């Protein structure tokens, strides 16, 4: 409410200022997609100067600050964007996801639920997976599974949903299902250190040492410097 009040005190931009802000915000977001963070920052700063009440500019700046690992500043801009446009599902999803990652599960989940139930939101599946991850943090496995499966009904090839289902089923003691979800992920040519370590764990739990070693070898070959590779080495040492 404080942010909404502050936004209300800003003088309204002229039509030309608003258009200039929109152009610069779009440009900044385009630079973000190209990973040109310096140019993105310049364009987004100009956008906010032209019109501090443009939610899209604050959303872009929040994404930039998140990329720069400046999470407090990212939250500040996400909250400004939400105050200016409380029904924007993209703002709800991004802010909700960051809040969940920072342990603010209740607030984050509420925002993700709102975005996930918006029938006009083209990325509903993203919000649903985010809400499911929040549910897992809260220890609500069944609720998390329902949400992530709903996301897969909308987008059956969404890698994040497939990985989260693999992780969930492994944690829930269902390694056969874990293997199935990881297989679907590999079919999309999506291989990450996280998925390879999970593959190793699941195959070891199933007693398939040979398959587990194949996952381990690829992890050590392709992602030798990752945290997952270090964790794999620790697990192997414990097993002797």
């Amino acid at each position: 409410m404080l942010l909404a009040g502050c936004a209300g005190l800003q003088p309204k931009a002229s039509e030309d200022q608003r258009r200039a802000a929109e152009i610069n915000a779009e440009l900044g977001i385009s630079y973000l997609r190209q990973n040109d963070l310096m140019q993105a920052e310049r364009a987004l700063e100009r956008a906010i100067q032209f019109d501090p009440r443009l939610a899209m500019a604050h959303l872009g700046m929040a994404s930039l600050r998140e990329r720069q690992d400046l999470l407090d500043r990212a939250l500040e801009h996400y909250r400004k964007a939400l105050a200016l446009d409380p029904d924007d599902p993209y703002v709800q999803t991004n802010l909700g996801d960051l809040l969940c990652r920072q342990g603010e599960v209740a607030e984050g989940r509420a925002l993700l639920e709102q975005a996930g139930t918006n029938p006009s939101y083209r990325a509903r599946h993203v919000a649903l997976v985010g809400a499911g991850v929040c549910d897992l943090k809260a220890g609500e496995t069944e609720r998390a599974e329902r949400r992530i499966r709903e996301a897969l009904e909308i987008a059956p090839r969404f890698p994040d949903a497939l990985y989260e289902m693999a992780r969930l089923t492994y944690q829930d003691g269902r390694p056969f299902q874990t293997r199935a979800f990881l297989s679907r992920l590999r079919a999309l040519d999506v291989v990450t250190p996280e998925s390879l370590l999970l593959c190793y764990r699941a195959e070891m739990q199933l007693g398939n040492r040979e398959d587990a070693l194949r996952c381990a070898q690829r992890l050590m070959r392709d992602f030798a410097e990752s945290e997952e590779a270090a964790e794999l080495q620790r697990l192997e040492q414990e097993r002797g």
Side-chain angles (χ1 to χ4, degrees), residues 15-81:
E15 215 172 290
D16 287 346
Q17 287 173 319
R18 182 74 171 188
R19 184 63 189 137
E22 289 170 349
I23 290 168
N24 277 281
E26 289 167 4
L27 186 61
I29 291 167
S30 175
Y31 281 129
L32 264 181
R33 291 188 182 123
Q34 298 167 41
N35 207 36
D36 188 342
L37 303 190
M38 186 179 295
Q39 292 292 348
E41 184 164 7
R42 288 173 181 165
L44 290 165
E45 282 177 345
R46 285 197 300 269
I48 292 170
Q49 286 169 1
F50 277 120
D51 187 358
R53 296 162 57 99
L54 182 64
M56 178 173 60
H58 288 288
L59 177 59
M61 186 63 83
S63 298
L64 170 66
R65 296 309 183 207
E66 199 170 349
R67 292 261 197 103
Q68 296 169 325
D69 206 28
L70 301 171
L71 300 186
D72 287 344
R73 294 175 70 182
L75 276 173
E76 179 186 339
H77 283 286
Y78 278 136
R79 289 194 182 282
K80 284 181 180 177

Side-chain angles (χ1 to χ4, degrees), residues 91-227:
V91 177
Q92 292 165 348
T93 299
N94 283 277
L95 175 55
D97 178 68
L98 181 54
L99 287 169
C100 281
R101 282 188 277 120
Q102 291 202 312
E104 301 291 336
V105 172
E107 185 183 1
R109 185 162 59 179
L111 288 165
L112 288 160
E113 285 173 349
Q114 200 172 344
T117 55
N118 185 335
S120 64
Y121 182 31
R122 289 184 296 178
R124 274 185 65 219
H125 55 289
V126 177
L128 286 165
V129 171
V133 171
C134 259
D135 290 331
L136 280 175
K137 283 180 179 280
E140 298 181 35
T141 304
E142 289 184 12
R143 187 173 177 178
E145 184 164 349
R146 284 197 302 273
R147 290 189 202 276
I148 300 170
R149 286 190 182 277
E150 186 180 350
L152 283 171
E153 287 173 11
I154 298 168
R157 295 164 58 86
F158 183 39
D160 288 6
L162 292 168
Y163 173 74
E164 291 301 337
M165 277 304 303
R167 188 167 71 94
L168 184 155
T169 52
Y170 176 77
Q171 290 175 358
D172 202 40
R174 292 178 275 160
F176 279 109
Q177 290 188 43
T178 304
R179 175 196 279 168
F181 283 112
L182 289 175
S183 176
R184 289 171 63 180
L185 199 59
R186 280 195 302 274
L188 299 175
D189 203 26
V190 176
V191 180
T192 66
E194 294 86 356
S195 69
L196 288 168
L197 180 60
L198 186 55
C199 170
Y200 169 83
R201 289 181 185 274
E203 294 300 342
M204 287 296 288
Q205 195 171 104
L206 289 166
N208 299 322
R209 175 78 176 166
E210 193 174 322
D211 289 338
L213 286 177
R214 272 197 286 270
C215 294
Q217 286 163 0
R218 184 161 185 189
L219 174 56
M220 296 308 297
R221 184 190 72 211
D222 295 348
F223 305 100
E225 302 302 316
S226 67
E227 291 179 12

